[in-house]
Amino acid sequence: MSRTILTLALSCAAIAAIPAQAADIGNAEVALSIGADYVTEYVFRGVSFSDAAIQPYVEATIGDFTIGSWANTPVSEDSDIGLDEIDLYASYAFELNDKVSGSVGGTYYHFPESDGGFLSTNDGADGSYEVNAGLALDTVISPSVTAYYDLTLDAFTLEGGIGHGLATSERSSLDLGLTAGLVDGEDFSYEYATAAAGWSFGLTDDAALTVGVNYSLSSEDSLGFSRGRLPTGDAFAFTDKDNLFWGGIGISSGF
């Protein structure tokens, strides 16, 4: 078991041990969730960062504040150059009116197998810090737009999305989504898009199983990890594929 998976497993076990009665802190409602996904490829903003991987996570929401941790650990032999990743994030959500909501937040991306220590960056080799702000509209297709700025890599990302959920039974739903974005960095820039379809089934009142398929496009050849794409130095060397079908299966539980 890798250090990343062990860390997240211990975190999930600790939260699972919290009694369900602990649902309020003062006047703030508390929600806890844990889960893990298996994906055939780890795709992030139009770039493949590993082949098949396990991705556990744990998240807590206290009123309008959310904190969480998410990890990626490659499991495919083709991902011998893929690194473990563990992210820490926090956000604050607020309403502007009955239809429009906003959010602000930040993320620390960390690579445990790198030489540097936790919370270090080493110009992006060990990790990076990113801030974000977004707006969402409460309508049938739930349009949203979010801006991200990576302070370490000096990279700006603007991403928009739409989505809609359809109930297929009392315990299941089909969720459809489309996201598109552009990335502008010091030594690289590209555009990307992903169409997603996921089916969720409630195993119990607190647990659900999800199966999803995705199709990603990139203006650069940045998809297809096992076929030869790596970050090199301060820039990305895009060398192989501009589109990719990938999928995943996951289980989650909320308290």
Side-chain angles (χ1 to χ4, degrees):
M1 179 179 289
S2 74
R3 178 170 51 176
T4 299
I5 292 296
L6 178 61
T7 300
L8 267 293
L10 291 175
S11 300
C12 291
I15 283 188
I18 298 175
Q21 298 93 301
D24 294 282
I25 296 180
N27 295 323
E29 183 178 349
V30 178
L32 303 172
S33 62
I34 59 175
D37 299 316
Y38 169 82
V39 295
T40 59
E41 193 130 355
Y42 168 27
V43 178
F44 179 67
R45 296 178 189 167
V47 177
S48 298
F49 282 101
S50 80
D51 212 323
I54 296 174
Q55 299 175 335
Y57 60 88
V58 56
E59 183 177 278
T61 299
I62 305 172
D64 296 324
F65 292 91
T66 298
I67 58 173
S69 182
W70 175 94
N72 180 80
T73 291
V75 295
S76 169
E77 293 181 357
D78 291 333
S79 292
D80 56 339
I81 51 178
L83 294 177
D84 284 355
E85 177 183 339
I86 184 167
D87 303 339
L88 304 177
Y89 60 89
S91 65
Y92 173 73
F94 53 91
E95 291 186 359
L96 296 176
N97 56 47
D98 292 341
K99 290 293 185 180
V100 181
S101 61
S103 65
V104 293
T107 303
Y108 171 61
Y109 303 92
H110 177 60
F111 308 106
E113 295 174 283
S114 57
D115 295 332
F118 189 64
L119 298 183
S120 66
T121 61
N122 190 22
D123 295 327
D126 300 332
S128 68
Y129 292 90
E130 183 180 75
V131 294
N132 64 76
L135 293 173
L137 184 61
D138 184 11
T139 65
V140 175
I141 60 173
S142 303
S144 64
V145 60
T146 306
Y148 304 86
Y149 183 70
D150 193 301
L151 303 169
T152 305
L153 303 178
D154 190 21
F156 173 77
T157 300
L158 184 64
E159 182 177 274
I162 56 175
H164 185 66
L166 302 169
T168 54
S169 74
E170 290 185 359
R171 303 184 67 89
S172 65
S173 65
L174 176 65
D175 300 307
L176 305 174
L178 177 65
T179 60
L182 58 89
V183 179
D184 185 20
E186 185 176 352
D187 297 305
F188 58 92
S189 63
Y190 64 97
E191 296 80 42
Y192 64 91
T194 296
W199 178 77
S200 298
F201 178 77
L203 302 173
T204 68
D205 290 341
D206 300 318
L209 175 70
T210 302
V211 178
V213 292
N214 309 268
Y215 180 63
S216 294
L217 296 169
S218 173
S219 62
E220 300 290 340
D221 294 339
S222 57
L223 296 164
F225 181 88
S226 63
R227 292 167 289 280
R229 192 259 345 124
L230 260 182
T232 57
D234 294 329
F236 284 110
F238 297 140
T239 59
D240 185 54
K241 196 171 184 181
D242 63 2
N243 67 92
L244 177 72
F245 273 108
W246 54 284
I249 184 171
I251 188 168
S252 61
S253 182
F255 305 89

